[in-house]
Amino acid sequence: MRDIVRIGRVHLATDGAAALSLRAVARDLGVVSSAVYRYVASRDELLTLLVVDGYDELGDAVDAAVERVDRDSHAERMRAIGRAVRAWALAEPATYALLFGSPVPGYEAPAEQTTGPGTRVVGRLVEVWEDAWVAGAGSLPDAPVAPRRLARDLARIRKQMGITAPDALVARGMLAWAALFGCVSFEVFGQYGASTFTDPKDIFELHLDALVEAVGLG
Amino acid sequence: MRDIVRIGRVHLATDGAAALSLRAVARDLGVVSSAVYRYVASRDELLTLLVVDGYDELGDAVDAAVERVDRDSHAERMRAIGRAVRAWALAEPATYALLFGSPVPGYEAPAEQTTGPGTRVVGRLVEVWEDAWVAGAGSLPDAPVAPRRLARDLARIRKQMGITAPDALVARGMLAWAALFGCVSFEVFGQYGASTFTDPKDIFELHLDALVEAVGLG
DNA sequence: CGAAATGCAAGAGCACTGCTCTCTTTCGGC
DNA sequence: GCCGAAAGAGAGCAGTGCTCTTGCATTTCG
């Protein structure tokens, strides 16, 4: 069982998500294909196991990185999260693609199992921003955001996550969140072009600075 | 031949990229599978045709949108590009996923055919920023960017694309580019969560404003 | 201690996939 | 009318996900 996930991860890293074959996993396990169906209901369920596994690993990496930084250094904590996401994504591109790339066709990750681990990263980000806000370290206006229905949506989000930070910070946070994964995806998926940068980390650090500034932690 | 691409697009939209089957396309075409191989060398080549097709369609959509806006309204031109990308992505999620999502396993888009159409969107963005810069409409410092090797990379990019705008604008432009696709991907791939926003366009417009501001066109 | 019940893996089989090969039909130019 | 090129048909190979039945252990119960 544990072995199935382990070998599945190897295949995922080697051949990618859509090429994940239960038969091949069974072969590597030295067992016939029907035998693994005793432990895993379907290929999709194996995919779900790998999704959860990936979210957990990313979450652990982010947790470890953020805890190494002083709790009062809000900007640096945010940078640590960004760097951890990027480093993990570059180390595990196939798993990253499974989590944040195009959905695998015909496969829908069951929400009850994946939303928990899936929100760990954004949860950490929100934690940092909220900390900065209550410490008075932010520099964003606390005026409510423009369209009223959007303000209502943001109010609901604030309530759900227990945030006291104002609309502008929540909205900017979502942008920074999406932008962070946009940058990482561009780099992992090679959208920038092959040899554009001598060291891609340079431009990432610059972007990270801009995102820190965008949420008022400059 | 044209029919193959046409039906391929239908299947792409219906079942997704990895489920694209040459046999199914042949069936819909009322022809046996081997007959399709007279026109398309492999499944990967069909995928490449669809990639080029998708880039072209997105490029056309962006071109049409940006040309409807006055050439001097730089911020509004940038917004038009962003809106066009989002609208097209939501209308053609499968093709969008093929272009900007996880790479299809075992398939590498041949650069010589795809880089041309693939750079149309970013080319338009660069055009807008460069226009704004030469018109003196930007509000970004023109100090060179921090690490020297990054400055060299950016200088090479400027030369390649014929840009006169300073490092800071080029770097911020790349961030805005990645952030734009990050936002769109989050929305198309459902990373935000299912029913977070009453109208997702609200938050997108807000993010668009922030990106316009980030490149100094606020 | 022997028998029954249970757990687990094997193997065959179905329908599908990409792709290659050979055979046959069809159609246009001379 | 004929001949060659073009294009579809069909069989076949190796792979896939998944189901079902069979057989072999081990464990539990009478």
Side-chain angles (χ1 to χ4, degrees):
Chain A
M1 180 63 208
R2 263 278 168 271
D3 289 341
I4 294 175
V5 174
R6 186 174 47 80
I7 294 183
R9 286 189 49 176
V10 174
H11 282 200
L12 183 64
T14 310
D15 310 313
L20 187 88
S21 148
L22 256 171
R23 282 182 124 109
V25 171
R27 258 197 307 276
D28 275 23
L29 213 63
V31 110
V32 89
S33 76
S34 58
V36 309
Y37 278 92
R38 212 157 279 279
Y39 302 93
V40 172
S42 67
R43 197 193 90 117
D44 282 5
E45 191 179 298
L46 176 56
L47 231 35
T48 300
L49 291 175
L50 291 170
V51 166
V52 174
D53 198 67
Y55 275 131
D56 269 335
E57 210 179 83
L58 173 60
D60 289 348
V62 166
D63 282 356
V66 80
E67 269 158 23
R68 242 176 273 132
V69 180
D70 182 54
R71 178 126 196 172
D72 298 328
S73 313
H74 306 108
E76 208 46 47
R77 271 170 94 88
M78 179 172 161
R79 284 196 188 89
I81 295 174
R83 291 188 193 112
V85 170
R86 173 175 177 271
W88 183 84
L90 290 174
E92 304 277 352
T95 310
Y96 177 83
L98 179 60
L99 302 186
F100 300 101
S102 7
V104 181
Y107 167 72
E108 187 100 21
E112 65 271 19
Q113 293 171 54
T114 54
T115 46
T119 51
R120 283 177 64 182
V121 172
V122 67
R124 277 294 190 178
L125 282 170
V126 166
E127 185 184 302
V128 169
W129 298 326
E130 177 71 9
D131 272 7
W133 172 254
V134 301
S139 65
L140 242 47
D142 60 351
V145 92
R148 180 169 286 166
R149 66 177 167 206
L150 179 55
R152 273 202 305 267
D153 289 338
L154 291 178
R156 201 180 56 240
I157 294 171
R158 267 211 307 270
K159 198 170 175 187
Q160 276 177 359
M161 308 197 88
I163 313 176
T164 62
D167 281 0
L169 180 50
V170 176
R172 282 300 180 89
M174 299 196 75
L175 173 60
W177 177 38
L180 169 63
F181 281 91
C183 292
V184 172
S185 292
F186 265 35
E187 202 176 327
V188 173
F189 299 155
Q191 292 280 353
Y192 279 141
S195 55
T196 310
F197 293 106
T198 313
D199 187 350
K201 195 165 175 55
D202 290 337
I203 189 78
F204 181 77
E205 286 293 328
L206 206 67
H207 288 168
L208 212 45
D209 289 342
L211 294 181
V212 168
E213 191 188 330
V215 295
L217 295 181
Chain B
M1 180 66 209
R2 264 277 166 272
D3 288 342
I4 294 175
V5 174
R6 185 173 50 79
I7 293 183
R9 288 189 48 177
V10 174
H11 282 201
L12 184 64
T14 310
D15 310 312
L20 186 85
S21 146
L22 256 171
R23 281 181 122 110
V25 170
R27 260 197 306 277
D28 276 22
L29 215 62
V31 113
V32 90
S33 78
S34 59
V36 177
Y37 280 89
R38 294 248 172 228
Y39 303 92
V40 172
S42 67
R43 197 192 89 117
D44 283 4
E45 192 180 296
L46 177 56
L47 231 36
T48 300
L49 291 175
L50 291 170
V51 166
V52 174
D53 199 66
Y55 274 130
D56 269 336
E57 209 179 84
L58 173 60
D60 289 347
V62 166
D63 282 356
V66 79
E67 270 158 21
R68 242 177 271 130
V69 180
D70 182 55
R71 178 129 196 171
D72 298 328
S73 314
H74 306 108
E76 208 46 47
R77 271 170 94 89
M78 179 173 160
R79 284 196 187 91
I81 294 174
R83 291 188 192 114
V85 170
R86 174 176 178 270
W88 183 83
L90 290 174
E92 305 276 350
T95 310
Y96 178 84
L98 179 60
L99 302 186
F100 300 100
S102 8
V104 180
Y107 167 71
E108 187 100 20
E112 65 272 17
Q113 293 170 55
T114 54
T115 45
T119 51
R120 283 178 63 183
V121 172
V122 67
R124 277 293 191 180
L125 283 170
V126 167
E127 185 184 301
V128 169
W129 298 325
E130 176 70 10
D131 273 7
W133 172 254
V134 301
S139 65
L140 242 47
D142 60 352
V145 92
R148 181 169 287 165
R149 68 179 164 203
L150 179 55
R152 272 202 305 267
D153 289 337
L154 291 177
R156 201 179 55 241
I157 294 171
R158 268 212 305 269
K159 198 170 173 186
Q160 275 177 0
M161 308 197 86
I163 313 175
T164 63
D167 280 2
L169 180 51
V170 176
R172 283 301 180 89
M174 299 195 75
L175 173 60
W177 177 37
L180 169 64
F181 281 91
C183 292
V184 172
S185 292
F186 265 35
E187 202 177 326
V188 173
F189 299 155
Q191 291 281 354
Y192 280 140
S195 54
T196 310
F197 293 106
T198 314
D199 186 350
K201 194 164 176 56
D202 290 338
I203 190 77
F204 180 77
E205 287 294 328
L206 206 66
H207 288 168
L208 212 45
D209 289 343
L211 295 181
V212 167
E213 190 188 330
V215 295
L217 295 181

